[in-house]
Amino acid sequence: MLRIEDVRMFVRATQLGSFSSVARESGIMPAQVSAAILRLEKTLGVRLFVRTTRSLRMTREGATYLPYAHEMLEVIRAGSESLENQTGELKDELRISMPSDVGRSTLLPLITAFCKKHPGVAVNLMFTDTVSDVHQHPVDIAVRYGILPDKSYVALPLAEYNKRILVASPAYLEHHGAPHSLEEIADRDCILFTLNGHPYASWSFYNNQQKHTLSVKSRFVCNDSETSRRLALEGVGIAYKSWLDVHQDIAENRLVPVLPHLTGVKNPLSFISPHRSQITPTARALYAEFKSHFDRLSMQFPFTD
């Protein structure tokens, strides 16, 4: 007899690339995942994976069966949705990955309010600035900055208008004076952020549609976007931050825009999922809450294209 849970584990194994990853995600032993795949193979009468000690590769039969497995899980999900729509009650667990700064300052309050409104919803929250592969990590939803080149997943816009901006604390500007040109920025203390192990040391700006790129150096380098903001608040230098990360600090005069006539590169925020089957009613409802918030926030956005 075909077991739906075995089909689900087969699909996740194709996405995560190992039985061990599926086991960690499901809270079970790898041997249980292996047993589930063996049961499915026995039921179907074909071999779905070629297994070695170092790799897991789908067979031709596995690749042929995969879209049908997706469709089967999609039909089951749709049936569950129809029942949820009748009761109006959301019951789900979402694994959500998000950037450290906007995640803690903006998304976390929205998520906690959402969970209070829907007691049947549970969340597993991961804060990371690494641009990770959502197919290889056990998440249902990832909120990510930047222009996303990979089109193999579902991406929904949250704040397409967002851009980067130079900021510093009033204390820093009072002590060192406000710079009047990009050339002066290169001689100042800047705060660098590393992404995937590489310092983000080339800052780009637009002035009257002309692009200018500046190489900067710093005594302060970190791999956490919230820490870079905190360093700016401490007055140690000038930071090149997403406007979404610092808009409240600017409104409350904790940080001040530097060279405000220049606009930084676009840094849109997106709501992404590995597969459309993971955009459940709960995920869609959470997206609606996020989108509503960022749409309201767009009214405060100070720049135009």
Side-chain angles (χ1 to χ4, degrees):
M1 176 183 294
L2 185 107
R3 299 187 185 186
I4 295 301
E5 185 61 16
D6 294 350
V7 176
R8 186 190 73 79
M9 289 191 182
F10 163 66
V11 170
R12 289 304 284 157
T14 66
Q15 295 169 336
L16 300 180
S18 76
F19 291 173
S20 297
S21 297
V22 178
R24 284 193 297 271
E25 176 182 272
S26 304
I28 60 178
M29 299 297 292
Q32 292 174 271
V33 179
S34 182
I37 300 301
L38 286 172
R39 274 196 307 267
L40 182 59
E41 290 177 329
K42 185 176 180 180
T43 300
L44 297 173
V46 298
R47 195 175 184 187
L48 299 171
F49 291 107
V50 175
R51 310 164 183 79
T52 69
T53 55
R54 294 186 177 181
S55 67
L56 183 69
R57 178 174 58 83
M58 263 196 302
T59 62
R60 183 176 60 182
E61 291 81 6
T64 299
Y65 182 66
L66 182 59
Y68 295 98
H70 273 299
E71 185 175 352
M72 187 185 310
L73 297 177
E74 178 72 11
V75 169
I76 292 169
R77 182 194 63 79
S80 298
E81 279 190 28
S82 67
L83 295 176
E84 288 181 0
N85 290 338
Q86 288 180 5
T87 63
E89 183 179 357
L90 295 177
K91 291 184 179 180
D92 203 353
E93 179 177 356
L94 291 178
R95 295 155 298 185
I96 308 170
S97 174
M98 51 191 149
S100 60
D101 205 333
V102 75
R104 292 185 175 94
S105 65
T106 302
L107 300 178
L108 184 58
L110 295 176
I111 291 169
T112 54
F114 182 83
C115 289
K116 288 177 183 178
K117 188 189 302 183
H118 303 287
V121 174
V123 293
N124 185 334
L125 306 178
M126 290 156 277
F127 296 90
T128 175
D129 296 304
T130 301
V131 183
S132 55
D133 183 349
V134 295
H135 292 295
Q136 296 299 319
H137 292 76
V139 298
D140 300 303
I141 299 300
V143 177
R144 288 287 179 264
Y145 275 126
I147 298 171
L148 307 170
D150 188 347
K151 302 301 182 182
S152 64
Y153 45 70
V154 179
L156 303 174
L158 285 173
E160 295 180 291
Y161 55 83
N162 186 50
K163 294 181 181 179
R164 290 189 175 274
I165 180 175
L166 286 171
V167 291
S169 71
Y172 174 86
L173 296 175
E174 182 179 352
H175 186 266
H176 298 278
H180 298 94
S181 68
L182 281 179
E183 290 72 24
E184 288 185 57
I185 298 292
D187 296 328
R188 296 298 185 94
D189 293 322
C190 295
I191 301 167
L192 290 186
F193 171 70
T194 61
L195 189 61
N196 295 329
H198 301 288
Y200 187 50
S202 182
W203 296 355
S204 295
F205 305 88
Y206 291 88
N207 184 16
N208 295 325
Q209 299 184 338
Q210 291 290 320
K211 185 176 181 179
H212 305 272
T213 301
L214 182 71
S215 294
V216 296
K217 298 179 181 179
S218 177
R219 295 165 52 210
F220 298 94
V221 181
C222 63
N223 67 345
D224 178 85
S225 62
E226 184 183 22
T227 300
S228 67
R229 170 179 158 268
R230 289 178 179 271
L231 286 170
L233 290 169
E234 290 293 326
V236 303
I238 297 171
Y240 187 46
K241 292 287 295 175
S242 161
W243 179 82
L244 289 176
D245 289 345
V246 296
H247 74 278
Q248 195 62 38
D249 295 317
I250 293 171
E252 297 176 10
N253 203 38
R254 292 190 295 267
L255 291 174
V256 178
V258 174
L259 302 178
H261 64 286
L262 300 177
T263 58
V265 295
K266 290 185 177 180
N267 200 29
L269 191 67
S270 300
F271 183 99
I272 67 179
S273 184
H275 191 267
R276 62 189 179 92
S277 65
Q278 289 169 269
I279 305 291
T280 63
T282 303
R284 282 199 294 271
L286 183 61
Y287 170 72
E289 294 283 346
F290 285 178
K291 189 66 166 64
S292 177
H293 173 83
F294 288 112
D295 283 350
R296 291 194 300 271
L297 201 56
S298 68
M299 304 301 293
Q300 303 175 32
F301 188 64
F303 307 111
T304 57
D305 290 328

